[in-house]
Amino acid sequence: MQDDTRRDRRRERTPPRDTPAKVRPPQPEISFSKSDYEGVAPHEDDPVVVSAIVMGYIVKRVLVDQGSSANILFWETFEGMKIPNDRLIPYAGTLVGFAGDQVITRGYADLETTFGQGAQMKTVVVRYLVVNAQSSYNILIGRPTLNKLGAVVSTSHLKVMELS
């Protein structure tokens, strides 16, 4: 009986929700099959690397990094694409890697980026932090863009599939 009274008091203190909880629209099922292994050597732990079109430039060596909370564009790539510097918006923050190393950003840029091929092409505006650091990649695509694309990554298949 005492537990019922506490529960009632708790209900009285909890304000009603003004808006209903967000309900995600139904999503199509995505599955990877044996045919998706075509061209993939078994038992390799290679990263998922793709190409993208950024502001009309084909950019190779784009790392799909599911562990990153940011999209990174390296300064050398930014300069190589001849993007006007006025597209770079000042940003005073630093980027901290998982090892604790800090990289000072040069700013950020919102750039139209196209992923996929043929009928599967999808273009979104991606906010890139532009950093002056060494990397064997040109761009790192993180969770913000993967979520915006509705992308599902399979590291064993070395593939990215997007929800249609």
Side-chain angles (χ1 to χ4, degrees):
M1 185 85 165
Q2 191 174 14
D3 286 345
D4 289 340
T5 306
R6 281 189 209 150
R7 195 176 312 128
D8 290 339
R9 274 188 265 154
R10 203 173 312 129
R11 271 193 214 122
E12 290 171 10
R13 288 185 295 211
T14 307
R17 292 185 182 194
D18 290 336
T19 57
K22 287 186 178 180
V23 178
R24 290 184 181 221
Q27 301 288 334
E29 282 190 28
I30 290 184
S31 61
F32 294 89
S33 67
K34 286 182 181 181
S35 67
D36 290 311
Y37 279 116
E38 190 173 306
V40 177
H43 306 295
E44 288 189 13
D45 290 327
D46 291 336
V48 178
V49 180
V50 298
S51 295
I53 301 171
V54 182
M55 300 294 294
Y57 289 91
I58 296 172
V59 180
K60 296 181 179 182
R61 302 212 38 84
V62 175
L63 176 68
V64 178
D65 186 355
Q66 298 175 83
S68 178
S69 60
N71 303 299
I72 308 298
L73 174 59
F74 293 95
W75 180 248
E76 192 174 305
T77 305
F78 183 85
E79 283 187 314
M81 291 191 298
K82 298 178 177 39
I83 297 171
N85 281 344
D86 64 356
R87 294 292 302 259
L88 199 57
I89 300 164
Y91 179 74
T94 56
L95 189 65
V96 180
F98 70 89
D101 50 329
Q102 295 185 1
V103 176
I104 297 173
T105 62
R106 297 200 107 179
Y108 70 89
D110 295 327
L111 304 176
E112 197 171 86
T113 305
T114 303
F115 298 93
Q117 298 173 344
Q120 302 298 319
M121 290 176 87
K122 192 169 188 181
T123 302
V124 294
V125 174
V126 176
R127 176 162 288 177
Y128 294 100
L129 282 176
V130 180
V131 300
N132 193 4
Q134 293 297 311
S135 176
S136 54
Y137 301 102
N138 293 308
I139 293 176
L140 274 66
I141 294 298
R143 291 187 310 269
T145 297
L146 293 173
N147 290 334
K148 187 182 274 191
L149 290 168
V152 177
V153 180
S154 171
T155 55
S156 65
H157 293 90
L158 297 178
K159 298 241 185 314
V160 178
M161 286 194 188
E162 297 169 14
L163 300 174
S164 27

